[in-house]
Amino acid sequence: MPINILMPALSPTMEKGNLAKWLKKEGDKVKSGDVIAEIETDKATMEVEAVDEGTIAKILVPEGTQDVAVNDVIAVLAGDGEDVKAAGAGAASAPKAAPAAQAPAAAKPAPTAALAAAPAAKAAAPAAAAPQAAPAQQTNGHARTFSSPLARRLAREAGIELARVNGSGPHGRVIARDVEEAKSGKGLKAPAATSTTGPAIAPSMSDKQVLALFEPGSYEVIPHDGMRRTIAQRLTASVQTVPHFYLTMDCDIGKLLAAREEINASAPKDKEKKPLYKLSVNDFVIKAMAIALQRIPNANVSWTESGMLKHRHSDIGVAVAMPGGLITPIIRKAETKSLSTISAEMKDFAARARARKLKPEEYQGGTTAVSNLGMYGIKDFTAVINPPHATILAVGTSEERAVVRSGRIEAAHIMSVTLSCDHRAVDGALGAELIGAFKMLIENPVMMMV
């Protein structure tokens, strides 16, 4: 019997993704473990492996398709001995995957191939919902608006959110004419109302209101990609729901700079006479923050409504800029790792982050984060906490400043750092202890080696 290949869930929070590329075509034979497609999430591009063996009978979702919901059927696999043409023809006429509760009791569902990511990520099947009256605009159970391919392309080009367009096609399907009308402000739904259980949020300006402020033709609309939308949603939610407060300290990193220079100068060389590592100031920052959390364990926490999560290890997320946004790969158990190991991991993470090749487990979770804008000459700034973290350290540039020591004015290399804290989990005094422990370590790097 034909096997349905479904859009996999590549992370616990993934609801939809883009089918970037098919690596197999119709008629190709595949076996378990073969990489058959590349899927783009909001954070990374991941290779997807087949679980079952057979022949690709029909590709239902062409490459380049965006916003494909998790568990949608994207292709059909004909098993060994099956008629490939018949399986493909059946797939072409069959409806897309529906929730199990809607299947007739007597009908036997076709077997389903759960795709495996590398490493495998199993898709969590959504619980069947109770039958409800069909909405005016049809969705597929994942809050995905049904629309024609042309309508989706026109909406992307115009920067219009399809969920806000009233569809006039069959069963509320959005068609090209609807998008054209939406460009002039017609046929647009009002933004979803804010939940009455959450904090009262002042509504932002609508797209129509913003566009009305500028002369037509004086701007270019660049549609948001998945990463930019996710960053906007999560940081907005963080600022609105997490009570932030900020603590700033100046750190004298003269000893650190001297130690860094000496360590790098004595680094072993490879066959091509290149040093095996080259430590950055940020490597010391990561290590110092990791040890500081171990020394102030009550600050190494995450807030949940039912209780405080007190972490045993210091898993440090490090913000990495990339085209279209940023991502925060995590140095796991950073308190146990040498500076050279941290440096090597960060170089690898940064390279793969910019190529959108990080795996979900490499950037999800963590107990705190570091955001360093020192390389841009930024003196100091405040960073927004990325839940479930309770803190984030913003690091500015190192610069020579005049300081007073024993009544004398001297030049010193000073670096300003600002700790953002979630006041639900970390009180003022506790936050002060944490940034104080960090300052002691960063100013005396030899203490990181003990």
Side-chain angles (χ1 to χ4, degrees), residues 232-242:
Q233 292 166 359
R234 291 180 181 172
L235 294 187
T236 299
S238 177
V239 171
Q240 292 173 349
T241 61
V242 176

PDB file of all heavy atoms in Angstrom, residues 232-242:
ATOM      1  N   ALA A 232      10.662  38.579  15.899  1.00  0.00           N
ATOM      2  CA  ALA A 232       9.742  39.641  16.304  1.00  0.00           C
ATOM      3  C   ALA A 232       8.732  39.146  17.330  1.00  0.00           C
ATOM      4  O   ALA A 232       8.472  39.806  18.345  1.00  0.00           O
ATOM      5  CB  ALA A 232       9.020  40.196  15.075  1.00  0.00           C
ATOM      6  N   GLN A 233       8.168  37.976  17.089  1.00  0.00           N
ATOM      7  CA  GLN A 233       7.154  37.443  17.997  1.00  0.00           C
ATOM      8  C   GLN A 233       7.735  37.136  19.371  1.00  0.00           C
ATOM      9  O   GLN A 233       7.154  37.493  20.412  1.00  0.00           O
ATOM     10  CB  GLN A 233       6.541  36.178  17.389  1.00  0.00           C
ATOM     11  CG  GLN A 233       5.698  36.442  16.150  1.00  0.00           C
ATOM     12  CD  GLN A 233       5.377  35.176  15.383  1.00  0.00           C
ATOM     13  OE1 GLN A 233       5.804  34.072  15.763  1.00  0.00           O
ATOM     14  NE2 GLN A 233       4.611  35.306  14.306  1.00  0.00           N
ATOM     15  N   ARG A 234       8.903  36.484  19.398  1.00  0.00           N
ATOM     16  CA  ARG A 234       9.457  36.058  20.684  1.00  0.00           C
ATOM     17  C   ARG A 234       9.987  37.227  21.504  1.00  0.00           C
ATOM     18  O   ARG A 234       9.809  37.278  22.723  1.00  0.00           O
ATOM     19  CB  ARG A 234      10.569  35.025  20.446  1.00  0.00           C
ATOM     20  CG  ARG A 234      10.014  33.700  19.917  1.00  0.00           C
ATOM     21  CD  ARG A 234      11.103  32.677  19.684  1.00  0.00           C
ATOM     22  NE  ARG A 234      10.555  31.435  19.158  1.00  0.00           N
ATOM     23  CZ  ARG A 234      11.277  30.415  18.708  1.00  0.00           C
ATOM     24  NH1 ARG A 234      12.598  30.505  18.709  1.00  0.00           N
ATOM     25  NH2 ARG A 234      10.704  29.327  18.252  1.00  0.00           N
ATOM     26  N   LEU A 235      10.629  38.182  20.843  1.00  0.00           N
ATOM     27  CA  LEU A 235      11.160  39.317  21.601  1.00  0.00           C
ATOM     28  C   LEU A 235      10.033  40.227  22.066  1.00  0.00           C
ATOM     29  O   LEU A 235      10.099  40.790  23.164  1.00  0.00           O
ATOM     30  CB  LEU A 235      12.173  40.088  20.754  1.00  0.00           C
ATOM     31  CG  LEU A 235      13.459  39.330  20.415  1.00  0.00           C
ATOM     32  CD1 LEU A 235      14.459  40.249  19.730  1.00  0.00           C
ATOM     33  CD2 LEU A 235      14.083  38.713  21.656  1.00  0.00           C
ATOM     34  N   THR A 236       8.994  40.378  21.254  1.00  0.00           N
ATOM     35  CA  THR A 236       7.838  41.159  21.699  1.00  0.00           C
ATOM     36  C   THR A 236       7.194  40.506  22.910  1.00  0.00           C
ATOM     37  O   THR A 236       6.876  41.170  23.900  1.00  0.00           O
ATOM     38  CB  THR A 236       6.806  41.293  20.566  1.00  0.00           C
ATOM     39  OG1 THR A 236       7.403  41.965  19.459  1.00  0.00           O
ATOM     40  CG2 THR A 236       5.587  42.086  21.023  1.00  0.00           C
ATOM     41  N   ALA A 237       7.031  39.185  22.849  1.00  0.00           N
ATOM     42  CA  ALA A 237       6.450  38.467  23.983  1.00  0.00           C
ATOM     43  C   ALA A 237       7.336  38.588  25.220  1.00  0.00           C
ATOM     44  O   ALA A 237       6.843  38.737  26.345  1.00  0.00           O
ATOM     45  CB  ALA A 237       6.250  36.990  23.617  1.00  0.00           C
ATOM     46  N   SER A 238       8.666  38.547  25.024  1.00  0.00           N
ATOM     47  CA  SER A 238       9.584  38.656  26.155  1.00  0.00           C
ATOM     48  C   SER A 238       9.454  40.007  26.844  1.00  0.00           C
ATOM     49  O   SER A 238       9.324  40.096  28.061  1.00  0.00           O
ATOM     50  CB  SER A 238      11.031  38.448  25.691  1.00  0.00           C
ATOM     51  OG  SER A 238      11.939  38.620  26.762  1.00  0.00           O
ATOM     52  N   VAL A 239       9.456  41.086  26.049  1.00  0.00           N
ATOM     53  CA  VAL A 239       9.373  42.432  26.634  1.00  0.00           C
ATOM     54  C   VAL A 239       8.025  42.640  27.321  1.00  0.00           C
ATOM     55  O   VAL A 239       7.936  43.294  28.358  1.00  0.00           O
ATOM     56  CB  VAL A 239       9.599  43.501  25.542  1.00  0.00           C
ATOM     57  CG1 VAL A 239       9.304  44.885  26.074  1.00  0.00           C
ATOM     58  CG2 VAL A 239      11.039  43.435  25.037  1.00  0.00           C
ATOM     59  N   GLN A 240       6.963  42.053  26.760  1.00  0.00           N
ATOM     60  CA  GLN A 240       5.626  42.262  27.308  1.00  0.00           C
ATOM     61  C   GLN A 240       5.338  41.418  28.540  1.00  0.00           C
ATOM     62  O   GLN A 240       4.533  41.809  29.379  1.00  0.00           O
ATOM     63  CB  GLN A 240       4.585  41.961  26.221  1.00  0.00           C
ATOM     64  CG  GLN A 240       4.581  42.966  25.079  1.00  0.00           C
ATOM     65  CD  GLN A 240       3.678  42.548  23.946  1.00  0.00           C
ATOM     66  OE1 GLN A 240       3.198  41.414  23.899  1.00  0.00           O
ATOM     67  NE2 GLN A 240       3.424  43.451  23.015  1.00  0.00           N
ATOM     68  N   THR A 241       5.979  40.250  28.650  1.00  0.00           N
ATOM     69  CA  THR A 241       5.629  39.314  29.734  1.00  0.00           C
ATOM     70  C   THR A 241       6.724  39.105  30.763  1.00  0.00           C
ATOM     71  O   THR A 241       6.445  38.616  31.854  1.00  0.00           O
ATOM     72  CB  THR A 241       5.243  37.946  29.151  1.00  0.00           C
ATOM     73  OG1 THR A 241       6.362  37.396  28.436  1.00  0.00           O
ATOM     74  CG2 THR A 241       4.058  38.084  28.198  1.00  0.00           C
ATOM     75  N   VAL A 242       7.977  39.441  30.429  1.00  0.00           N
ATOM     76  CA  VAL A 242       9.081  39.240  31.367  1.00  0.00           C
ATOM     77  C   VAL A 242       9.471  40.590  31.979  1.00  0.00           C
ATOM     78  O   VAL A 242       9.865  41.499  31.249  1.00  0.00           O
ATOM     79  CB  VAL A 242      10.307  38.607  30.669  1.00  0.00           C
ATOM     80  CG1 VAL A 242      11.474  38.510  31.642  1.00  0.00           C
ATOM     81  CG2 VAL A 242       9.958  37.225  30.123  1.00  0.00           C
TER      82      VAL A 242
END
